[in-house]
């Protein structure tokens, strides 16, 4: 990986002529994304993210922290926050922004002896699962990082609305695979990132996966565009 997403974040933080990111998926055309959006404050965040931050309790782990906006908000509120991301450049930006405890890490590589009261996975947190066949692996790891009474707050979107409907109202989704399994491509400053897998989950699918892995799943809030926030806790 060229870490172009992280490069854009670091460029914005250091005022190094940042440009918009160009994102494209296997079911959508190229679209521009302003890097400034990743630096939004609480008032600018979607209601799903605001709600997740308001529900935070105990020691917090922010998985896939990006520019660190969620972790910084909680840090300022007095929370003990650990923020992780696989992007080295993003973590460099987080350090420059004043995040006290952040590191380059994949959540699967964390030591399960450290426990958290809240684990955040926001901005389509299910994306890091990549594929349907990896959901259990990630949920089991996340579960192992929870202390007693701990919670996983995760958001995603049901992408069914992206597909056409036939005259009977049935959605014309691919016959093979799950319709929320996408491939993503990012372009930044003329460079193209290696294509990567990204998973969007509808709520019922997440709920079934959670139950199969010994987790209760509660729908906390639904957004305007088929997106939702869910809370997972140990059964």
């Amino acid at each position: 990986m060229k870490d172009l997403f992280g490069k854009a974040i670091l460029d914005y933080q250091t005022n190094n002529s940042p440009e918009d990111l160009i994102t494209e998926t296997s079911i959508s055309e190229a679209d521009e994304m302003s890097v400034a959006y990743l630096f939004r404050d609480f008032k600018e965040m979607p209601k799903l993210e605001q709600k997740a931050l308001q529900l935070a309790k105990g020691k917090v782990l922010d998985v896939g922290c990006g520019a660190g906006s969620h972790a910084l908000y909680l840090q300022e509120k007095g929370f003990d926050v650990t923020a992780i991301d696989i992007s080295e450049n993003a973590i460099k930006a987080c350090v420059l922004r004043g995040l006290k405890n952040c590191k380059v890490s994949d959540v699967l590589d964390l030591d399960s002896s450290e426990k958290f009261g809240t684990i955040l996975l926001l901005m389509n947190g299910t994306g890091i699962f990549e594929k349907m066949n990896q959901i259990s692996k990630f949920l089991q790891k996340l579960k192992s990082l929870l202390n007693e009474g701990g919670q996983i707050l995760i958001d995603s979107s049901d992408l069914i609305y992206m597909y056409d409907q036939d005259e009977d109202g049935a959605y014309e989704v691919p016959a093979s695979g799950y319709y929320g399994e996408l491939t993503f491509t990012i372009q930044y400053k003329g460079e193209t990132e290696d294509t990567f897998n990204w998973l969007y989950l509808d709520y019922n699918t997440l709920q079934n996966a959670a139950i199969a892995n010994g987790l209760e799943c509660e729908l906390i809030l639904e957004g305007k565009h088929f997106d939702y926030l869910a809370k997972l806790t140990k059964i």
Side-chain angles (χ1 to χ4, degrees):
M1 298 288 279
K2 300 172 185 174
D3 195 14
L4 297 183
F5 197 76
K7 188 176 187 300
I9 290 173
L10 188 58
D11 281 351
Y12 186 89
Q13 174 61 31
T14 58
N15 199 26
N16 183 29
S17 304
E19 297 179 8
D20 287 349
L21 286 155
I22 309 297
T23 64
E24 188 173 354
T25 78
S26 47
I27 62 168
S28 63
E29 296 178 352
D31 190 28
E32 291 187 3
M33 175 186 175
S34 172
V35 186
Y37 180 70
L38 302 173
F39 288 77
R40 62 199 178 281
D41 61 22
F42 183 83
K43 291 180 292 186
E44 298 170 314
M45 293 177 189
K47 284 185 166 45
L48 294 182
E49 294 175 22
Q50 292 180 345
K51 183 65 174 179
L53 296 179
Q54 290 166 344
L55 290 174
K57 61 179 183 178
K59 190 175 179 181
V60 179
L61 174 66
D62 185 5
V63 179
C65 64
S69 295
H70 302 123
L72 276 169
Y73 172 82
L74 292 175
Q75 179 178 283
E76 289 165 4
K77 292 292 182 181
F79 283 87
D80 179 357
V81 187
T82 298
I84 63 171
D85 203 291
I86 60 171
S87 166
E88 186 174 337
N89 286 317
I91 293 300
K92 286 179 181 176
C94 288
V95 172
L96 291 172
R97 295 189 77 190
L99 205 51
K100 295 174 183 175
N101 189 5
C102 52
K103 59 184 178 181
V104 180
S105 179
D106 187 313
V107 68
L108 295 174
D109 296 330
L110 291 184
D111 187 341
S112 295
S113 64
E114 188 173 10
K115 306 294 183 184
F116 299 90
T118 300
I119 301 176
L120 295 175
L121 296 100
L122 300 177
M123 288 191 73
N124 189 48
T126 65
I128 67 167
F129 302 164
E130 296 187 350
K131 290 277 191 178
M132 291 288 289
N133 61 9
Q134 297 200 97
I135 296 175
S136 290
K137 176 175 67 176
F138 277 93
L139 289 183
Q140 286 295 332
K141 181 62 181 185
L142 292 168
K143 182 181 174 183
S144 75
L145 294 167
L146 286 178
N147 59 24
E148 288 305 311
Q151 59 181 353
I152 300 163
L153 298 172
I154 186 168
D155 65 359
S156 193
S157 300
D158 185 350
L159 294 190
I160 195 71
Y161 74 94
M162 297 280 288
Y163 293 86
D164 294 330
Q165 291 176 278
D166 62 23
E167 56 188 20
D168 296 322
Y171 287 97
E172 299 174 355
V173 297
S176 60
Y178 174 67
Y179 63 83
E181 285 185 341
L182 306 187
T183 55
F184 244 93
T185 305
I186 291 174
Q187 293 180 2
Y188 182 66
K189 289 188 174 180
E191 288 190 89
T192 302
E193 184 62 87
D194 300 337
T195 299
F196 57 93
N197 296 315
W198 198 247
L199 180 64
Y200 288 84
L201 280 181
D202 68 277
Y203 176 72
N204 285 341
T205 300
L206 175 63
Q207 185 179 45
N208 287 331
I211 292 169
N213 285 279
L215 292 162
E216 290 185 359
C217 186
E218 178 186 353
L219 182 62
I220 299 297
L221 192 63
E222 289 183 282
K224 297 177 181 178
H225 306 290
F226 293 82
D227 53 342
Y228 63 87
L229 174 68
K231 179 172 76 172
L232 279 55
T233 52
K234 291 182 182 179
I235 293 175

